[in-house]
Amino acid sequence: MRWSAGRYGTTEEARRPRDGHPVPGIEAAWTAGWPTARVRSVSDGPVSLAVIGDCGADDDQLAARLPAVRAGRWRELTRWPGSYLVIAREGATLAVIGDLAGQYPVYWRSHGHALWWATSALALAALDGAPVDPTALAAHLALAQPDVLGQRSLMRCVNRVPGGHLLLADPSGARTVPFEPAEYGSVELPVAAATVRAALREAVASRLDGRPVSADLAGLDSTTLACLAAQRGPVTAVTFADERLRDDDLPYAKRTTAVVPGLTHHPVPGTANTVYYDGLDDLSGLPVTDAPNAYAVTASIKRAVLDTVTAHHPAPGLHLTGSAGDAVLSAPSSYLADLLREGQRRRAWSHALGHARLRHTSAWSVLAWARPASRTGLTGAWRQTAAELRGPVREWVPQASRPVAWTPLLATADWMSPDVRHQLAAALNVAADQLDDAPARLAAWSDRQDLARLGADTTGWRQIAAEQYGIDLVAPYLDNEVIRACLAVPADQRGAPGRYKPLLTKAFTGAGVLPDFVLARTTKGGFNALAYAGLRENAPVLLDLLGPSSRLAAAGLVTKQPVARMLARAAAGQPTAQGALHLAVAAEFWLRQLETAPAWWEVNARVAAG
């Protein structure tokens, strides 16, 4: 795993990350697993600035931001193309700033009379063997919104820095400070389009450094990135083309490569093993990630894509993925709740008519689905969810059939023991009492949570690519500046019914990047067939993972009967709580991996067992 860590304060313990390297110019800060070229710093007397990861600034641009460090203008340090961690020090003040999507999360704790920070919660827990926090893991499973419990991480005694915040340490102590507004001002879509186009161009260009380039070529999001890269050099484009999917990704990919110079196309045929849940009987088959990772469930599909890339590349390079394009370029119809709350009834009715046509239902039904969330804010919603957790377990219905909610309660919540449900309810009430600077719009909150979840999962995928293939995975839609440019457009414009990704279409129409037929596309592939095939074919493995020896079951995070019923439904090909099952399986796999996790630290040049 690539990770970074540091210490603020003095301690007698000579501890550092195992195989770690000091960050130049920053006292008591290290990186582990990062190439030297991706760790850069500048200093001027007591002022130092370091960036770790994919940062598009050159050394002169970094040096030009040293006055911002002196003045504490932290947000200015997050405006370069790319995705990266920032460490800034001015005398006795230290700021550690992650990215908006959580690919570079920041955690902190006290240990040995000093403050320790890291991009890995597991590493900080290993300082003294702190265990998993079962209530935080319950929130991860039941709510799937990383910021719900604020500064509470998945590990006991380890604090997390919430999204849009930074860690600030000085002689008075350590605290988290916001550097990003809770929601952005409104920029009309036609005005924002040029900014989005420029941000994506820079996001791609800043990564191209002479190494071989490959890219997914599937939907509109990934095709845009592949075509942007092809304007600057050759790109090996790959399309996962399992015949069970029955989508039109492959025909569109072939048409695109026929007319876009620089793209060389290779389809990735599916096999019996390219299904969800394949290989989960082998804990050593995947690297240990810092949190449960959704890509553990789909690893065989991702490996098939990377196998094809390596077969056609002379050396490991970088691979562009369209991950998170959906999250920033469009918006779920839950924004209707915001329109109702703000009294925009005519606009809400117009949009409800459009969504009703897509769902083959009535506009009244669509508005009734959105109305409950329009009558409360985030604090009230959490208290309502806490009350629901204290009540009886619900009968399962598809999540899309439930009313819109600020923090939807997933089916996994109904698989937990009463004691765990009550503990999670208590934690939610505490979080509601402590909540400040909450967004007024549901769309603003859910956009940020979706991105935080996708960023954490993409980090796990990146780890597979780096450790098993030597490939750097790049997800430009998760870059700070791309997120800012896209989310400044109101959700009702990004997600307007009847228009497929209008923001991307407006940004690139006439720009000479994408063929017109790609911009006119209104279809999107899906993986449901491979999910159900994997559920059927790997039923024995899943029953073992979530059965009597389950670590989740031992903690009351799942109970036997509801999980067995859901797996039986899946094996029979009936509608299933797929998202809930993915979360539970990934968490169980992760808990078992932790039992044999590697050492994280060295003390006095000897490797500590953690």
Side-chain angles (χ1 to χ4, degrees):
M1 184 188 297
R2 289 174 176 173
W3 59 291
S4 307
R7 185 188 70 241
Y8 182 89
T10 58
T11 178
E12 296 179 358
E13 185 179 49
R15 186 187 292 255
R16 58 183 284 169
R18 185 183 184 188
D19 299 324
H21 298 278
V23 176
I26 305 289
E27 180 185 357
W30 305 269
T31 61
W34 278 104
T36 302
R38 310 277 284 284
V39 182
R40 295 183 298 120
S41 62
V42 293
S43 297
D44 181 13
V47 182
S48 298
L49 171 64
V51 291
I52 300 165
D54 292 330
C55 181
D58 60 28
D59 288 348
D60 288 340
Q61 290 170 315
L62 291 179
R65 285 291 186 270
L66 289 175
V69 176
R70 292 188 184 95
R73 300 194 303 269
W74 309 118
R75 193 170 188 261
E76 293 181 22
L77 310 179
T78 69
R79 302 303 304 262
W80 295 299
S83 186
Y84 49 89
L85 177 78
V86 174
I87 312 170
R89 188 145 192 172
E90 198 279 322
T93 299
L94 171 73
V96 186
I97 315 171
D99 66 310
L100 294 177
Q103 296 185 96
Y104 298 83
V106 180
Y107 303 93
W108 58 285
R109 65 169 301 181
S110 295
H111 177 74
H113 306 293
L115 170 76
W116 291 80
W117 64 264
T119 55
S120 166
L122 291 182
L124 292 184
L127 287 170
D128 60 1
V132 171
D133 179 339
T135 302
L137 186 55
H140 169 86
L141 291 169
L143 307 172
Q145 292 186 340
D147 287 331
V148 167
L149 297 190
Q151 297 190 34
R152 196 164 175 173
S153 83
L154 291 180
M155 309 304 294
R156 283 182 179 165
C157 305
V158 177
N159 305 298
R160 67 181 290 273
V161 177
H165 289 63
L166 58 92
L167 175 65
L168 192 65
D170 58 28
S172 68
R175 57 199 178 278
T176 62
V177 177
F179 69 88
E180 197 75 1
E183 50 189 305
Y184 298 115
S186 179
V187 180
E188 294 298 303
L189 186 148
V191 177
T195 306
V196 170
R197 181 174 64 249
L200 282 171
R201 280 189 189 276
E202 289 187 325
V204 172
S206 67
R207 266 71 173 221
L208 306 181
D209 56 5
R211 289 178 295 168
V213 179
S214 60
D216 294 332
L217 192 63
L220 181 55
D221 309 337
S222 60
T223 300
T224 299
L225 302 179
C227 291
L228 282 170
Q231 290 189 324
R232 296 175 176 270
V235 176
T236 300
V238 289
T239 305
F240 184 69
D242 193 301
E243 62 182 13
R244 291 167 289 188
L245 295 180
R246 297 183 180 180
D247 61 26
D248 54 1
D249 281 354
L250 186 57
Y252 270 97
K254 289 180 176 179
R255 288 181 66 188
T256 301
T257 51
V259 298
V260 176
L263 290 179
T264 303
H265 185 240
H266 301 281
V268 183
T271 68
N273 294 328
T274 50
V275 294
Y276 283 37
Y277 306 107
D278 183 76
L280 293 182
D281 52 344
D282 179 13
L283 295 177
S284 64
L286 290 171
V288 179
T289 53
D290 201 57
N293 193 269
Y295 286 108
V297 170
T298 58
S300 64
I301 298 170
K302 299 306 178 187
R303 283 202 189 99
V305 170
L306 295 176
D307 284 338
T308 301
V309 168
T310 55
H312 295 93
H313 269 187
L318 60 88
H319 183 80
L320 293 163
T321 172
S323 177
D326 286 342
V328 296
L329 296 169
S330 56
S333 55
S334 55
Y335 70 79
L336 289 168
D338 294 326
L339 295 181
L340 290 172
R341 181 186 304 103
E342 294 164 0
Q344 299 187 53
R345 292 180 176 84
R346 183 173 295 179
R347 187 166 180 79
W349 175 254
S350 172
H351 280 242
L353 285 170
H355 288 295
R357 284 192 291 269
L358 295 174
R359 300 181 190 182
H360 307 290
T361 187
S362 72
W364 293 110
S365 296
V366 172
L367 290 177
W369 169 78
R371 188 165 284 111
S374 73
R375 294 171 172 163
T376 186
L378 187 56
T379 300
W382 286 357
R383 293 197 174 103
Q384 290 176 3
T385 301
E388 194 170 359
L389 283 164
R390 290 193 175 93
V393 170
R394 310 163 301 176
E395 290 294 322
W396 181 77
V397 297
Q399 195 69 32
S401 300
R402 298 191 182 278
V404 171
W406 285 78
T407 299
L409 197 59
L410 306 181
T412 26
D414 300 313
W415 304 347
M416 296 174 179
S417 70
D419 183 53
V420 169
R421 286 167 62 91
H422 289 170
Q423 289 178 29
L424 179 54
L428 263 178
N429 278 328
V430 170
D433 292 340
Q434 296 176 345
L435 185 64
D436 56 10
D437 196 29
R441 291 185 176 91
L442 182 152
W445 166 257
S446 57
D447 283 343
R448 295 287 180 85
Q449 299 313 299
D450 289 346
L451 284 169
R453 185 173 61 251
L454 286 166
D457 286 337
T458 302
T459 299
W461 180 10
R462 179 177 293 108
Q463 204 173 326
I464 294 172
E467 294 185 19
Q468 299 185 345
Y469 293 87
I471 291 173
D472 278 330
L473 188 79
V474 177
Y477 291 107
L478 290 170
D479 282 10
N480 287 350
E481 289 299 272
V482 175
I483 289 171
R484 287 168 173 142
C486 293
L487 296 191
V489 178
D492 61 290
Q493 295 183 36
R494 286 182 281 125
R499 302 171 63 196
Y500 185 67
K501 296 194 176 166
L503 178 54
L504 196 64
T505 301
K506 183 67 175 177
F508 285 96
T509 296
V513 177
L514 292 160
D516 289 343
F517 64 82
V518 172
L519 289 169
R521 184 179 178 186
T522 60
T523 56
K524 177 179 173 60
F527 284 78
N528 275 355
L530 301 187
Y532 277 104
L535 285 166
R536 289 193 303 271
E537 295 166 19
N538 295 292
V541 174
L542 299 180
L543 283 169
D544 176 69
L545 279 173
L546 299 177
S549 62
S550 166
R551 278 58 167 176
L552 291 175
L557 292 163
V558 299
T559 48
K560 180 178 179 181
Q561 290 303 321
V563 171
R565 284 196 299 268
M566 195 58 65
L567 288 174
R569 289 180 62 92
Q574 297 176 336
T576 307
Q578 287 189 32
L581 275 175
H582 295 177
L583 281 168
V585 170
E588 179 66 33
F589 189 81
W590 178 72
L591 287 173
R592 296 188 185 209
Q593 282 188 310
L594 293 188
E595 295 168 4
T596 56
W600 292 89
W601 302 93
E602 296 174 350
V603 179
N604 294 329
R606 295 193 303 273
V607 176

